[in-house]
Amino acid sequence: MAEETIFSKIIRKEIPADIVYQDDLITAFRDINPRAPSHILIIPNKLIPTVNDIETEDEVTMGRMFTVARKLAKEEGIDKDGYRLIMNCNVHSGQEIYHIHMHLVGGHFLGPMLIG
Ligand code: AMP
């Protein structure tokens, strides 16, 4: 059984977060340390530590992450100019929180994606 992170407490509203969306599968909230004018984390309510732990049964949830991203990008007014969706996996990516999350970042020109 994977160990819970602070994100499970955010999902259950046991600690404060700026939640912008929640349904039966997904919670989305503003990153506490935004790296762009819009920086939202979209996470499954189910604890999945890394992308490596995604199961076939999670496919609907993974799809929902993208439809929520699309909806929030529109609400943030960044859909037309564009935005970036990022998921880090394990140490080499710099993953800090072991509960998978999609970063939705946008609101200004992001430049080329830097790898490393
Ligand atoms: P990653 O490096 O991909 O694991 O990203 C983790 C992200 O979670 C970072 O961008 C942090 O700023 C963000 N973060 C950590 N704790 C919180 C929190 N309590 N509320 C919102 N965002 C958080």
Side-chain angles (χ1 to χ4, degrees), residues 6-7 10 15-17 29-35 39 41 86-88 93-98 101 103:
I6 195 167
F7 286 179
I10 289 175
I15 61 165
F29 49 94
R30 294 194 188 279
D31 197 292
I32 205 167
N33 178 26
R35 263 55 63 79
H39 188 170
L41 301 176
I86 304 161
M87 290 182 79
N88 291 320
S93 73
Q95 183 176 359
E96 290 171 3
I97 308 278
Y98 282 78
H101 45 281
H103 296 257

Side-chain angles (χ1 to χ4, degrees), residues 16-101:
D18 188 355
I19 294 177
V20 293
Y21 180 89
Q22 191 164 46
D23 66 22
D24 56 325
L25 296 178
I26 299 293
T27 299
F29 49 94
R30 294 194 188 279
D31 197 292
I32 205 167
N33 178 26
R35 263 55 63 79
S38 289
H39 188 170
I40 293 172
L41 301 176
I42 301 165
I43 72 173
N45 295 338
K46 174 184 171 184
L47 171 50
I48 302 171
T50 78
V51 170
N52 292 336
D53 301 304
I54 296 170
E55 310 272 5
T56 306
E57 67 186 31
D58 300 320
E59 286 176 352
V60 171
T61 304
M62 296 303 106
R64 182 80 61 87
M65 288 173 79
F66 279 94
T67 52
V68 170
R70 180 197 65 195
K71 171 185 154 59
L72 292 175
K74 191 170 170 58
E75 284 177 12
E76 293 287 297
I78 61 174
D79 55 323
K80 295 286 190 296
D81 284 340
Y83 52 91
R84 190 168 287 155
L85 300 173
I86 304 161
M87 290 182 79
N88 291 320
C89 179
N90 276 338
V91 175
H92 279 190
S93 73
Q95 183 176 359
E96 290 171 3
I97 308 278
Y98 282 78
H99 182 137
I100 61 166
H101 45 281

